[in-house]
Amino acid sequence: MSAPLIVLVGPMGVGKSTVGQLLAERLGAGFRDTDEDIVAAQGRSIAEIFVDEGESAFRALEKEAVRGALAEHDGVLALGGGAVLDAGTRALLAGQRVVYLSMDVEEAVRRTGLNAARPLLAVNPRKQWRELMEARRHLYEEVATVVVATDGRTPEEVTQAALDAVELKDV
């Protein structure tokens, strides 16, 4: 059974996909994003799944996508922002090399514009982002091997900080 080299967790807009792709390039490994897996399997966007079926249906799809990716992928894996909400997923992350990419609300506003394409942030985005982080921060920290702050850093700087933090060097 394979295991990912690195699993990235953190809030929406933190740069998991961008940094994940850079990490994969630097490590000569593949990159996989469980949100992309869900979109490909369902043939529609995450926002559409939320609208059509609700958050609980999406979370069930996400749980299975994460389980499959953790079992099959041996490169860099990015998980959706809410994947850590599931206790079973958190248990599967035990023993993995997990990097929590963190950012504060001002950075989130700057990066995402906290726009309506983010279904959990449709009304009063700043307040909702803060509430999401209050509910999730301890879960990200629980599963993390290391925490890498992304505020004010370029994706390349975050990538290097993540590599340094997990003590992986380029291959």
Side-chain angles (χ1 to χ4, degrees), residues 15 18-19 22 26 111 150 153-161:
T18 300
V19 170
L22 290 170
R26 296 273 301 271
R111 289 189 192 180
T150 65
R153 288 175 153 172
T154 66
E156 292 76 14
E157 290 168 334
V158 173
T159 299
Q160 188 58 55

Side-chain angles (χ1 to χ4, degrees), residues 37 41 66 82 100 104 115 134 137-138 140 148 167:
D37 289 352
V66 171
Y100 163 29
D104 67 23
N115 59 41
E134 286 171 18
R137 183 175 290 111
H138 72 283
Y140 294 136
V148 175
E167 299 177 344

Side-chain angles (χ1 to χ4, degrees), residues 33-44 46 49 58 61-63 65-66:
D33 181 322
T34 58
D35 280 351
E36 290 176 9
D37 289 352
I38 295 166
V39 168
Q42 296 296 307
R44 57 196 166 136
I46 290 170
I49 297 168
F58 171 76
L61 294 170
E62 181 176 56
K63 179 179 179 176
V66 171

Side-chain angles (χ1 to χ4, degrees), residues 58-92:
F58 171 76
R59 295 295 171 210
L61 294 170
E62 181 176 56
K63 179 179 179 176
E64 290 311 307
V66 171
R67 178 181 308 281
L70 285 170
E72 302 162 4
H73 187 67
D74 61 2
V76 177
L77 178 63
L79 303 187
V84 298
L85 294 170
D86 180 71
T89 295
R90 292 194 308 276
L92 290 173

Side-chain angles (χ1 to χ4, degrees), residues 2-10 14-17 19-20 23-24 27 30-34 65-67 69-81 83-84 89-90 92-101 140 143-148 162 166 168:
S2 65
L5 282 172
I6 296 176
V7 179
L8 298 175
V9 299
V14 77
K16 295 180 299 285
S17 296
V19 170
L23 281 167
L27 295 167
F31 172 72
R32 186 165 173 178
D33 181 322
T34 58
V66 171
R67 178 181 308 281
L70 285 170
E72 302 162 4
H73 187 67
D74 61 2
V76 177
L77 178 63
L79 303 187
V84 298
T89 295
R90 292 194 308 276
L92 290 173
L93 291 172
Q96 301 280 343
R97 188 181 288 120
V98 180
V99 176
Y100 163 29
L101 299 180
Y140 294 136
V143 300
T145 309
V146 296
V147 179
V148 175
V166 297
L168 282 175

